[in-house]
Amino acid sequence: KNEVEQSPQNLTAQEGEFITINCSYSVGISALHWLQQHPGGGIVSLFMLSSGKKKHGRLIATINIQEKHSSLHITASHPRDSAVYICAVRGLIQGAQKLVFGQGTRLTINP
Amino acid sequence: GAVVSQHPSWVICKSGTSVKIECRSLDFQATTMFWYRQFPKQSLMLMATSNEGSKATYEQGVEKDKFLINHASLTLSTLTVTSAHPEDSSFYICSASLGSHYGYTFGSGTRLTVV
């Protein structure tokens, strides 16, 4: 079993739909990251969370440390949101900077 | 914001030749860079952690003599794929840590095809 599991692996939705991508992890973490990878391969960091909830535009990320679970929500989805969304966690060991990645969720938003 | 510039964005080379990929931090000093490899429809796999002025730390199973990493300055880290083979064809991407409170920034990636 991977340390970081994402679901679903693939998601197709219509423009305007509310999207939820889930991430569960099995290790203690100092932070959780949500990343967006576009078809060309470039990666953008969307959020870094250690507790609670963050919002940026139409994107919302939440984390429940006790349940070791995080969600990424997209409101009013748009075709330009189509990308692979990756959850990654950073461990608790002091000085550790390595990220452990989920397998990614491929999101397709149809017009 | 902090930007990492990665070059080239794509390269095609012949088997047996070497290819160098560069990652530059444009507006900050990156004491640590991470090099990843990604096969199609798979997640990122960490190859090595590059620290300025010291030897890189390679992940298990990654050949350090094949994937040479140099981090000679605070703004430049390079990955050289030596004696490339078709199985080295992949997407390579670097990232820099901005500090424990600030997350990471990623290069745009290099698609390597070995023919």
Side-chain angles (χ1 to χ4, degrees):
Chain A
K1 186 171 163 51
N2 293 333
E3 290 180 329
V4 181
E5 294 275 354
Q6 285 184 236
S7 62
Q9 290 190 16
N10 294 282
L11 178 58
T12 300
Q14 291 300 120
E15 184 173 355
E17 286 188 39
F18 181 81
I19 303 300
T20 295
I21 299 170
N22 296 299
C23 175
S24 296
Y25 53 92
S26 56
V27 296
I29 67 168
S30 59
L32 181 142
H33 298 257
W34 281 103
L35 310 171
Q36 180 191 54
Q37 185 171 31
H38 278 281
I43 292 175
V44 174
S45 179
L46 298 176
F47 294 104
M48 182 177 77
L49 293 162
S50 54
S51 65
K53 175 179 174 178
K54 287 189 176 180
K55 184 176 189 292
H56 186 253
R58 296 180 294 106
L59 301 178
I60 303 166
T62 63
I63 188 168
N64 184 317
I65 297 293
Q66 286 74 29
E67 294 186 3
K68 292 186 167 64
H69 181 269
S70 175
S71 293
L72 176 68
H73 306 284
I74 304 175
T75 61
S77 59
H78 190 275
R80 65 175 174 266
D81 297 326
S82 298
V84 176
Y85 292 83
I86 303 169
C87 171
V89 301
R90 177 171 172 164
L92 276 175
I93 298 172
Q94 191 168 6
Q97 298 186 72
K98 291 196 304 188
L99 292 175
V100 179
F101 295 87
Q103 74 274 39
T105 295
R106 186 172 300 273
L107 174 66
T108 303
I109 304 295
N110 293 319
Chain B
V3 174
V4 171
S5 174
Q6 184 171 346
H7 294 279
S9 55
W10 61 270
V11 58
I12 301 173
C13 72
K14 290 185 176 180
S15 287
T17 62
S18 295
V19 174
K20 181 185 282 189
I21 302 169
E22 291 188 351
C23 274
R24 291 181 185 273
S25 55
L26 296 186
D27 47 6
F28 68 101
Q29 293 181 331
T31 54
T32 303
M33 283 269 201
F34 303 92
W35 286 95
Y36 300 94
R37 175 174 191 172
Q38 186 179 36
F39 290 107
K41 301 201 174 180
Q42 294 188 24
S43 194
L44 298 165
M45 183 193 81
L46 179 65
M47 299 174 67
T49 303
S50 159
N51 294 294
E52 185 268 336
S54 64
K55 289 183 179 179
T57 303
Y58 289 81
E59 295 299 299
Q60 196 170 14
V62 178
E63 298 175 60
K64 60 183 179 184
D65 294 331
K66 179 165 184 63
F67 299 99
L68 300 178
I69 290 173
N70 185 283
H71 195 157
S73 77
L74 286 170
T75 59
L76 175 63
S77 178
T78 62
L79 167 68
T80 301
V81 183
T82 63
S83 187
H85 286 269
E87 57 263 33
D88 298 325
S89 298
S90 188
F91 185 72
Y92 294 86
I93 191 165
C94 63
S95 81
S97 171
L98 303 175
S100 58
H101 300 292
Y102 302 103
Y104 299 79
T105 187
F106 289 80
S108 52
T110 298
R111 192 160 303 281
L112 170 64
T113 302
V114 185
V115 297

